[in-house]
Amino acid sequence: MFAGLSDISISQDIPVEGEITIPMRSRIREFDSSTLNESVQNTIMRDLKAVGKKFMHVLYPRKSNTLLRDWDLWGPLILCVTLALMLQRGSVDSEKDGGPQFAEVFVIVWFGAVTITLNSKLLGGNISFFQSLCVLGYCILPLTVAMLVCRLVLLAEPGPINFMVRLFVVIVMFAWSIVASTAFLADSQPPNRKALAVYPVFLFYFVISWMILTFTPQ
Amino acid sequence: MAAADELAFHEFEEATNLLAQNPNEATTRGNQLVPQQHVAVAMDSGGSYGAEDEVEENDKTALLQEEKQQPGFWTFGYYQSFFDVDTSQSPRRASIPGPGLAPQVLDRIKGSLLPRPGHNFVRHHLRNRPDLYGPFWICATLAFVLAITGNLTLVLAQRRDPSIHYSPQFHKVTVAGTAIYCYAWLVPLALWGFLQWRKGVRERVGPYTFLETVCVYGYSLFVFIPTVVLWLIPVPWLQWLSGALALGLSAAGLVFTLWPVVREDTRLAAVLLLSVAVLLHALLATGCKFYFFQPLPLEPAAPPHQATSQPPTVLLSPPPPRSAAA
């Protein structure tokens, strides 16, 4: 029983609690001092690169933890503001009819995301509040792309072909959003409740797709 | 002494075995391996107890659930108890002994779609475990489906008659949402209040809790979702037929659920209560039909200051009468 112990020497094979690996990093940190002293361009580029990396993860959804681990809300904010700016009706139009105002789109996106997150947590999911908001916000990216395409297509002749093209693009992007968000969110729920947690996500993206599809320029 | 020695060496041996297996991992991520080790050792030492422990756990949790008080309504756990539902029956849960199977949302929806005279929705389907998932998301779905199909009706009307002016009409989403949510939450509040008052007067047992009433109303609204989609078809008699069918099913569900509670009361109060409930339901259905599915009249491409003065032919039927009845 004790023979095997002699082969193990504490100093070589058994790691001390992480002290061995960290000094490398902390030495580099000392040279960096803090991020307050770096140039503004460095800060912005670092954050932009993080946002861009997450955009890539949404466009090519794989089972990865990047969106969940390093969540941030810059991407969802940029996407939501872009979408709301493109969807809002002009101020010249009448009050009753017409598309949503900027505030209405903003409220639908953010309150929708908060409601879905609360629903997911109440059902017993083990994802944190901001992680879920981050995932739902980033997965609006395909629909924002669809909005851009729709606006470009609307510059052409109106007609049934115009509508069919827009319908096709919106449907494809809607499916892409659902697949991307389900890839990240579905794992956090127990299997007998996955459908209950995914249905509100479906409703959320369906409503946003509807707003994009029915957008008519003035 | 010997026992202590045995225990000490036993642990060390397991730890060293683990370390000997993963020497390379340790040097790169020291922090992450340490919790792993702790977890692994703990599981190993407790793993031999296995099945016995599980049965004990179940008994303990069953007792605890009976003994523990419900958390206060300001805590998150209170609301979590109302979302303890599954999609449908799963065989895994059926095999674990416990206080009962998790209620199933699809089962409750089916129960609301097919009311039967002796078949009380609350006693049979809810079984003292009302949930908030069903009512909330059914109302949300119904509100959005109403707004979307109302808009679609306008699109289809414009296809047939190009002089109709099409616009996305986003304000209808707000109206739909407010109307449905007010109906599905304020009317049960009024009903529950009324029943509580009658209970005080007549000393009856067993009126429903507020959440059970909300559940009944919420699930009874489910049948309107396919009906509203059917209303897209622009054939008037079909629309009225499907509307009447949906109203009949959903009002029947309400009546069958409320009847056992109300029949011990005086005949006048019982009839009054049931007829008011059915009337409010009918008002909601017809109000939705008129407000969301009436295409606007011919409208020339008018400048904005003239467009606001055109007479609306849509019948606005907001919920104020219901709150007055409360």
Side-chain angles (χ1 to χ4, degrees), chain A residues 80-88 102 151:
Chain A
C80 180
V81 167
T82 314
L83 194 64
L85 277 176
M86 286 196 285
L87 270 177
Q88 64 172 349
F102 179 92
R151 278 213 99 142

Side-chain angles (χ1 to χ4, degrees), chain B residues 5 17 40 55 57 67 73 82 88 94 105 128 147 185-186 218 246 248 276:
Chain B
D5 277 345
N17 283 341
V55 171
E57 278 292 324
E67 285 172 359
F73 69 90
F82 296 122
S88 56
V105 171
N128 295 334
W185 294 79
L186 291 183
V276 165

Side-chain angles (χ1 to χ4, degrees), chain A residues 105-182:
Chain A
V105 178
F106 208 79
V107 160
I108 281 194
V109 169
W110 285 101
F111 271 95
V114 166
T115 311
I116 295 175
T117 307
L118 277 179
N119 176 64
S120 164
K121 286 190 78 73
L122 282 169
L123 280 174
N126 60 359
I127 195 173
S128 94
F129 183 76
F130 287 108
Q131 281 173 346
S132 172
L133 277 186
C134 169
V135 168
L136 286 168
Y138 270 102
C139 291
I140 297 181
L141 175 68
L143 288 171
T144 312
V145 169
M147 183 72 216
L148 281 167
V149 171
C150 281
R151 278 213 99 142
L152 288 174
V153 168
L154 278 169
L155 292 174
E157 278 285 321
I161 301 184
N162 196 313
F163 178 72
M164 295 312 274
V165 168
R166 282 188 292 139
L167 181 69
F168 177 71
V169 167
V170 169
I171 287 181
V172 165
M173 292 303 176
F174 166 66
W176 202 332
S177 284
I178 298 270
V179 165
S181 60
T182 319

Side-chain angles (χ1 to χ4, degrees), chain B residues 15 48 147 158 171 219 248 263 307:
Chain B
S48 55
Q158 199 204 15
H171 66 282
Y219 280 104
R263 74 175 156 211

